[in-house]
Amino acid sequence: MPTPERTSTAEIVAAGREILESAGPAGLTMQAVAARVGVRPPSLYKRVRDKDALHTAIAVASIDALTARLDAAGDDLTALATAYRAFAQEHPEGFRFLFTVDVPREALERSAAPLIRASSALVGDDDALDAARLFTAWATGFLQMELSGAFRLGGDVDRAFEYGLRMLLTGLAD
């Protein structure tokens, strides 16, 4: 009789995402994930090839969670920016992780689709990808600085985000 399955890939990835948020990338080990799902570390290898594969699976799950938020926000760039920022604030380590792991192209394409659609509505199909890249670069840079506590000169960071977004959208609309 075969040994019963004690965990699933989905449980492993969910545990990895939780560990990433609570312990950061350094705490995201195969041992920590195994302990969280209640198996011995060698048992993880039945589901996940190695640590790199675990990291990729966690990054893809994070991108999919972000994509679901972006899809729910619709085709309004302000709503998309708000959803993007909320995701980063709620999952700061997962958000940072997206930029350190080699995420498969198809996952990136899924997450970019809502932004490209919204950009297309604003600037047209010919410039949609460039506009989406500009938007993403600005928002990601702002959020990386916000998450790291780099805005230390005072002032209202929420207001600064809204100001930057308004200026960016005004520039794109021109």
Side-chain angles (χ1 to χ4, degrees):
M1 177 180 266
T3 305
E5 298 296 333
R6 293 196 175 156
T7 191
S8 67
T9 303
E11 290 170 324
I12 291 167
V13 171
R17 287 187 71 204
E18 291 170 7
I19 292 166
L20 178 63
E21 290 303 329
S22 64
L28 181 58
T29 64
M30 296 297 269
Q31 293 81 8
V33 173
R36 179 72 58 103
V37 297
V39 300
R40 294 178 340 119
S43 296
L44 289 184
Y45 294 98
K46 294 176 187 173
R47 301 277 182 200
V48 181
R49 182 182 68 250
D50 56 23
K51 188 174 180 179
D52 288 340
L54 175 66
H55 286 185
T56 298
I58 291 168
V60 168
S62 295
I63 284 211
D64 289 345
L66 172 60
T67 302
R69 289 227 186 157
L70 297 177
D71 282 336
D75 290 342
D76 176 71
L77 284 170
T78 300
L80 288 166
T82 301
Y84 192 58
R85 187 175 185 212
F87 180 85
Q89 291 172 334
E90 292 168 22
H91 307 283
E93 294 298 334
F95 180 78
R96 289 182 188 108
F97 202 61
L98 296 177
F99 304 101
T100 63
V101 174
D102 188 23
V103 178
R105 181 182 175 107
E106 58 274 5
L108 294 174
E109 288 172 350
R110 285 193 307 272
S111 70
L115 183 53
I116 293 171
R117 276 193 311 272
S119 296
S120 180
L122 184 64
V123 302
D125 290 341
D126 289 344
D127 294 325
L129 181 58
D130 292 335
R133 285 178 173 154
L134 173 63
F135 180 91
T136 302
W138 171 78
T140 301
F142 189 101
L143 294 171
Q144 293 283 15
M145 291 180 71
E146 181 179 19
L147 293 174
S148 69
F151 294 129
R152 297 185 300 240
L153 297 179
D156 185 335
V157 176
D158 292 334
R159 183 173 174 268
F161 185 82
E162 291 166 11
Y163 174 82
L165 179 59
R166 191 171 56 252
M167 292 298 105
L168 181 64
L169 294 177
T170 299
L172 288 172
D174 282 347

